[in-house]
Amino acid sequence: MEKIIIETNPSIQNLNLCFVRDQLHIFYCISEEKNGRVYKIQHHFKNGQDWKVEEVCSLMKGQILNPIEIFVKKDKIQLLYYHVVEGIEQLFIKTYDCKKEKWEGGQQLTNSNEKKLYLDVLHIKNELYITYCEYVQENLIVKYEKYLIEENYRKIREEEISNPANCQYPTFIYFNERLWLCWTEYDYVVSRYSEDEGIHWSELYLYKDSKREEILRYKYQTNKEENKILLNYAFGKADNLQFIGFGNLDNTDKIPLKEKSFKRACTQENFKVNTFNKEEFLNKQEKSLEELKKEIQKIEKRQKRIEGKMQEIQREFYSEQGKIENIEKIQEIQDRLMIIENFLLEHTRGFKYFRKK
């Protein structure tokens, strides 16, 4: 017997589903009638013979509605979604306990000041891998973050993976013990891979076929817990459904990675989230103030030395100017004496004789 679970509604977006021990869970976003920028995340699941519907949370979208992503960890469903905070899209995560049929408290994962687009996640062992695009100087770059799953999600790595360009649809694929990160850039597919769980990344590879053929992004869904390949999406050719963007690198070109003007990368050793030592912070501030005072004192001493030099130059200038003025006066007196002498020579013989003698 067939039953309609969700009726057709043009305001429904981001339809997702997953299985937890053969129980189907359906998620989607639906806009509010009063405010088109506010969406509610709805959760459908079968409770006995009936379908239960509950509202998970509300979110505020930016210019566009970003995707939501879900993954299953044992008997819990992890839901990731964007919510606008002070005008910027930030990533949040909430957990649903299927045994208790209860949503647990959420956690904000990102806090950067740049707008974000797209989203893909991958759960491997006890680690969560997240990728999205972020605006940097009006360009889109591919960002990658890695979290250790403990009581909360603790960020242990963050890195820019692509060149600043028109990057879109970043996609994780775990295949043959390599973590691939693929995306589209202009009209072609680019990817990099890591062999050490996202610590170091390969060069950038451009897939030549993607420039000649039509490429689609396929969604992949399975209820198998163990797979040799882990992915939510994959790029493939439209004609023969052949995957592209990971695996064989024969038909690729290498793209030089531009030197970043700023690198925002961190490691497990130097990245801590939600930690604040007040005493240490105050000590650093006090030390910075002392160093600043020393720099100011050095500048003041240099200023005094410069002022002293300027005064010496001024004294020398006025002294030289005085000499010039004296020379001009002497020249004026000599000119006047010459006039008198010529007059006397012309009119007085005695003075003329005296001068010759």
Side-chain angles (χ1 to χ4, degrees):
M1 178 180 176
E2 295 183 354
K3 184 177 180 180
I4 297 175
I5 302 173
I6 303 172
E7 295 183 356
T8 302
N9 188 334
S11 63
I12 290 178
Q13 304 286 334
N14 291 339
L15 184 63
N16 277 262
L17 60 88
C18 66
F19 288 89
V20 180
R21 301 189 183 278
D22 296 328
Q23 184 185 38
L24 177 62
H25 293 259
I26 303 173
F27 299 87
Y28 60 87
C29 299
I30 185 168
S31 63
E32 286 189 352
E33 296 180 358
K34 296 181 180 180
N35 189 344
R37 293 190 62 188
V38 177
Y39 280 76
K40 295 179 181 179
I41 300 180
Q42 302 280 49
H43 176 204
H44 289 240
F45 63 97
K46 197 170 185 180
N47 186 7
Q49 297 298 320
D50 300 323
W51 282 90
K52 186 176 180 181
V53 183
E54 61 182 5
E55 180 182 324
V56 181
C57 63
S58 294
L59 64 89
M60 176 76 73
K61 74 165 189 173
Q63 293 182 349
I64 66 171
L65 178 64
N66 271 309
I68 63 173
E69 294 293 340
I70 54 175
F71 70 93
V72 178
K73 184 176 182 290
K74 295 182 179 179
D75 293 319
K76 294 184 177 182
I77 301 172
Q78 316 295 326
L79 168 68
L80 292 97
Y81 61 95
Y82 284 103
H83 173 60
V84 172
V85 180
E86 297 181 353
I88 302 296
E89 296 90 349
Q90 303 296 356
L91 191 59
F92 290 78
I93 188 168
K94 289 180 73 72
T95 302
Y96 180 75
D97 192 320
C98 295
K99 289 184 177 180
K100 298 178 181 179
E101 295 187 358
K102 181 181 178 181
W103 284 96
E104 300 175 353
Q107 179 183 344
Q108 181 176 339
L109 298 179
T110 62
N111 56 8
S112 68
N113 295 323
E114 308 297 338
K115 293 183 178 180
K116 303 169 187 65
L117 289 173
Y118 312 112
L119 176 64
D120 193 24
V121 300
L122 211 58
H123 171 228
I124 303 174
K125 298 177 183 177
N126 200 40
E127 295 172 334
L128 177 64
Y129 298 82
I130 296 175
T131 183
Y132 55 88
C133 288
E134 187 173 79
Y135 280 99
V136 174
Q137 298 176 351
E138 298 183 356
N139 288 303
L140 281 171
I141 62 168
V142 175
K143 288 286 296 290
Y144 145 73
E145 297 183 4
K146 181 179 178 180
Y147 292 80
L148 187 63
I149 303 176
E150 299 174 330
E151 184 176 352
N152 290 314
Y153 288 83
R154 181 163 61 89
K155 186 186 294 186
I156 56 178
R157 194 160 190 87
E158 176 182 354
E159 192 169 351
E160 297 172 3
I161 295 298
S162 72
N163 289 319
N166 185 27
C167 301
Q168 297 177 309
Y169 304 107
T171 302
F172 277 130
I173 298 171
Y174 187 73
F175 177 64
N176 283 345
E177 297 184 351
R178 279 183 176 178
L179 178 64
W180 292 82
L181 184 46
C182 323
W183 65 90
T184 60
E185 191 169 309
Y186 302 108
D187 60 345
Y188 47 83
V189 175
V190 181
S191 71
R192 300 179 73 179
Y193 66 85
S194 173
E195 295 179 324
D196 53 9
E197 300 176 343
I199 298 175
H200 302 94
W201 290 88
S202 70
E203 299 174 282
L204 281 75
Y205 293 94
L206 182 155
Y207 289 79
K208 299 178 183 179
D209 288 346
S210 63
K211 302 188 75 172
R212 298 188 294 265
E213 301 187 36
E214 184 181 358
I215 302 297
L216 301 176
R217 188 174 187 245
Y218 297 97
K219 185 174 177 62
Y220 177 81
Q221 199 84 37
T222 182
N223 58 354
K224 293 182 179 180
E225 295 185 358
E226 294 184 2
N227 285 301
K228 293 182 179 180
I229 180 171
L230 301 176
L231 72 162
N232 299 313
Y233 306 91
F235 296 106
K237 299 179 181 179
D239 293 338
N240 55 12
L241 299 180
Q242 182 180 353
F243 287 135
I244 191 172
F246 69 99
N248 196 322
L249 294 171
D250 290 341
N251 195 23
T252 61
D253 286 330
K254 292 181 180 180
I255 302 176
L257 183 63
K258 298 177 183 178
E259 184 178 356
K260 297 179 177 61
S261 57
F262 49 90
K263 183 178 179 63
R264 291 172 287 184
C266 58
T267 61
Q268 184 173 355
E269 289 74 22
N270 63 18
F271 197 104
K272 296 182 180 179
V273 180
N274 297 330
T275 59
F276 180 75
N277 189 317
K278 183 177 180 180
E279 184 177 354
E280 183 179 352
F281 174 78
L282 292 175
N283 288 336
K284 288 182 179 180
Q285 292 294 315
E286 186 176 354
K287 185 177 180 181
S288 298
L289 288 173
E290 290 297 327
E291 292 177 354
L292 184 60
K293 288 179 181 178
K294 291 180 181 178
E295 289 295 324
I296 292 173
Q297 290 174 356
K298 290 180 181 179
I299 293 171
E300 289 176 345
K301 289 181 180 179
R302 290 173 59 188
Q303 184 179 0
K304 289 181 180 179
R305 288 199 298 269
I306 292 170
E307 290 175 351
K309 289 289 184 181
M310 289 179 66
Q311 290 174 359
E312 290 180 6
I313 293 170
Q314 287 177 347
R315 285 195 296 269
E316 291 178 2
F317 173 77
Y318 289 127
S319 176
E320 292 296 326
Q321 188 177 19
K323 291 179 181 179
I324 293 171
E325 291 175 353
N326 291 335
I327 292 171
E328 290 176 349
K329 289 180 180 179
I330 293 170
Q331 186 65 43
E332 183 182 355
I333 293 170
Q334 287 179 345
D335 292 341
R336 292 174 66 184
L337 287 174
M338 183 64 67
I339 294 171
I340 295 170
E341 180 181 357
N342 291 335
F343 177 83
L344 292 174
L345 286 172
E346 292 176 1
H347 296 86
T348 307
R349 290 183 177 181
F351 186 79
K352 183 177 180 181
Y353 176 80
F354 175 77
R355 288 286 298 168
K356 285 184 176 182
K357 186 177 179 180

